[in-house]
Amino acid sequence: MNSLLSLSSLRRALKRRALLIATVFICGTIMALLFAIKRPAVFEATAVIQIEAPKVTTNLASGATVTTTSGNRLKLIEQKLMSRDSILAVIEKFDLFGGDAAPSDSIRVGLFRESVQITELIDPAQAWRPDVQPSGLSITVRLGDARKAADIANELLAQVLAEGKKRSEIRASQTLAFFETEEARIGAEIEALSLEFARFKERNAASLPGNTEAQQDQLSRLQETQLEFENRFVELETNSSRLRAEERQRQSELLSQQLSLVETRIADIEKALAAAPEVERLYRMMERELEQLQGQYSTITTRRTEAAMAQQLESQNQFERFEVLETALVPEYPVSSGKKKMVLAGAIASLLVGLGLGFIFEWFSPVLRTSEQVERELGLRPVVIIPVLQKPQTGWRGKLGLRAA
């Protein structure tokens, strides 16, 4: 039955449930105090790495090396550091999460990953850009031991520096080796294609694009010569009665031989001219392929030279590199020192729970305690109201005992 619709009823309900509310409040506060006391201290150590821009700002870095941004390199290094084998090596080195009941490797790896936070440092004004590059890296370690927290942060810092240097050197050497291999491969292809092209031009010299016009002129002259020999044959047959048989036979054989040579030459030229379109197609194709290979070879040679220079600059630390900005120091105070706030929050929560329980008990209580409740619930006005008479107590201890009873 609802008995909390007025302010006076609410005050009386709080007075009736004061013992319950006080009990819940005191128990909750004590529990919060015990939890705050038993909560272990957590220390935080932070190391910071700065990414320095290349000292030599030329096109060598972009032209000779494979495109790898600082953000991608940091992510690869972070993945390497947070791999299972790397984490287990650090755990064994610093004897973390040990004790009599040491957890399994999977649990220890999970605890370590929860204790370590690696954050890329990005300028807030440039954070909206998709191609923004980080300017540094922050490594934060939280542990119950201040000394171990600082040591592990510095250990991860050293691993990042070593891994960054190693990856830069490997990338430069692999890039140089790649371009050297490509230069040798394309050079061999150019040599083989040049030899094949030379043999092709030797086999099809008569049908080459540059010789077609000369072949046509020669064909015209041969055709005129052929016509001339045919006319001489006609004249020889016409004047055969004037010549002796031996002379006529000799001249006829000579003209036949000359005419045969001319016809053979004409047939060869006509065959060469007929094959000229296909020969020209193959010639142009091989010529284009050779030009493409030569262009690739020129580009690869330039890139190989740049890669060699990039490797030299990398060995002298002239490219982008990681530098230690701050090493991790042993923290003097724990970051989990807000025990007063925890106790205060527990006390407030306990008070709210006590008030809630009191209101719940009052809300579901079927007792009608005042005339207003009777008139509101039953629609009847009481004629006689018998007050509750209490025996006067001698002091506050009697009142407290009566309420407790």
Side-chain angles (χ1 to χ4, degrees):
M1 184 179 297
N2 190 357
S3 60
L4 303 176
L5 298 179
S6 63
L7 186 59
S8 59
S9 300
L10 182 61
R11 287 197 302 267
R12 287 192 294 269
L14 291 176
K15 186 177 180 181
R16 286 191 298 270
R17 304 298 176 180
L19 182 60
L20 174 63
I21 296 173
T23 303
V24 174
F25 173 73
I26 293 172
C27 293
T29 304
I30 293 174
M31 292 176 63
L33 179 61
L34 293 176
F35 178 78
I37 293 174
K38 293 183 178 180
R39 184 186 179 188
V42 177
F43 297 90
E44 180 179 281
T46 302
V48 181
I49 296 175
Q50 183 182 16
I51 303 176
E52 290 194 359
K55 292 184 178 180
V56 180
T57 56
T58 63
N59 293 328
L60 295 177
S62 60
T65 59
V66 180
T67 303
T68 303
T69 61
S70 300
N72 293 336
R73 190 154 54 128
L74 288 178
K75 287 182 175 60
L76 293 175
I77 294 175
E78 181 180 353
Q79 292 174 1
K80 180 68 178 298
L81 261 63
M82 291 292 104
S83 63
R84 179 183 296 271
D85 295 337
S86 300
I87 290 176
L88 289 176
V90 176
I91 290 175
E92 294 298 331
K93 180 177 181 180
F94 293 95
D95 192 19
L96 298 176
F97 313 117
D100 297 334
S104 62
D105 290 344
S106 299
I107 296 177
R108 291 196 295 172
V109 169
L111 293 174
F112 185 88
R113 287 173 177 169
E114 292 177 358
S115 303
V116 177
Q117 183 179 5
I118 301 178
T119 306
E120 296 179 2
L121 303 180
I122 299 177
D123 184 6
Q126 304 291 331
W128 59 272
R129 296 178 53 185
D131 58 341
V132 63
Q133 299 299 321
S135 60
L137 192 69
S138 173
I139 302 174
T140 303
V141 179
R142 290 189 175 188
L143 288 176
D145 191 329
R147 171 63 64 180
K148 287 186 177 181
D151 292 343
I152 292 174
N154 290 326
E155 174 68 18
L156 295 179
L157 175 69
Q159 291 186 10
V160 170
L161 294 176
E163 189 67 22
K165 179 66 175 176
K166 178 182 176 182
R167 285 182 177 273
S168 298
E169 292 177 351
I170 291 176
R171 187 178 68 249
S173 61
Q174 288 181 347
T175 302
L176 178 58
F178 169 77
F179 285 123
E180 288 177 347
T181 304
E182 286 297 301
E183 184 181 23
R185 181 182 65 83
I186 295 178
E189 290 183 2
I190 291 176
E191 186 68 22
L193 184 59
S194 299
L195 181 60
E196 182 181 356
F197 197 20
R199 292 176 178 174
F200 175 80
K201 290 191 291 184
E202 184 180 357
R203 290 193 305 267
N204 302 277
S207 302
L208 293 178
N211 299 332
T212 304
E213 186 175 355
Q215 294 282 42
Q216 290 177 349
D217 294 341
Q218 187 178 4
L219 179 62
S220 298
R221 291 195 299 269
L222 289 174
Q223 289 176 347
E224 292 176 358
T225 303
Q226 182 185 18
L227 181 60
E228 182 182 352
F229 286 152
E230 289 177 352
N231 291 332
R232 291 176 64 181
F233 259 114
V234 173
E235 292 177 358
L236 182 63
E237 292 295 332
T238 303
N239 299 326
S240 58
S241 59
R242 299 179 183 179
L243 299 176
R244 292 179 298 178
E246 292 83 1
E247 181 65 20
R248 184 172 58 81
Q249 181 68 25
R250 186 182 65 80
Q251 291 183 4
S252 177
E253 291 178 356
L254 180 60
L255 288 175
S256 298
Q257 292 177 358
Q258 292 176 347
L259 183 60
S260 176
L261 291 175
V262 171
E263 290 176 349
T264 303
R265 183 57 182 162
I266 289 175
D268 293 339
I269 293 177
E270 289 178 347
K271 182 179 179 182
L273 291 176
E278 180 65 17
V279 171
E280 183 177 4
R281 184 185 70 82
L282 296 176
Y283 179 88
R284 300 301 181 190
M285 183 179 66
M286 297 178 71
E287 189 177 37
R288 286 194 303 269
E289 186 176 356
L290 185 60
E291 289 178 356
Q292 291 176 357
L293 288 176
Q294 289 174 347
Q296 292 179 10
Y297 186 80
S298 177
T299 303
I300 291 296
T301 302
T302 303
R303 292 292 182 87
R304 193 261 303 162
T305 305
E306 294 175 352
M309 181 63 69
Q311 187 182 33
Q312 182 67 22
L313 293 175
E314 185 66 41
S315 63
Q316 298 177 3
N317 290 329
Q318 300 297 320
F319 272 173
E320 182 183 73
R321 65 188 187 278
F322 298 152
E323 292 291 339
V324 178
L325 189 62
E326 293 181 4
T327 58
L329 302 177
V330 179
E332 299 180 359
Y333 304 99
V335 294
S336 60
S337 59
K339 295 184 179 181
K340 293 181 180 180
K341 295 181 181 179
M342 187 177 298
V343 174
L344 180 60
I348 295 175
S350 302
L351 179 61
L352 294 177
V353 171
L355 290 174
L357 291 176
F359 288 148
I360 290 174
F361 281 117
E362 283 294 324
W363 188 274
F364 291 102
S365 177
V367 179
L368 298 176
R369 301 182 184 278
T370 62
S371 60
E372 290 83 0
Q373 294 179 2
V374 173
E375 185 175 358
R376 184 172 56 252
E377 297 294 336
L378 302 179
L380 300 175
R381 178 175 296 180
V383 179
V384 179
I385 300 175
I386 302 175
V388 178
L389 301 177
Q390 295 181 354
K391 184 178 180 180
Q393 301 294 326
T394 56
W396 64 272
R397 294 183 179 179
K399 294 180 180 180
L400 182 60
L402 180 61
R403 291 185 180 277

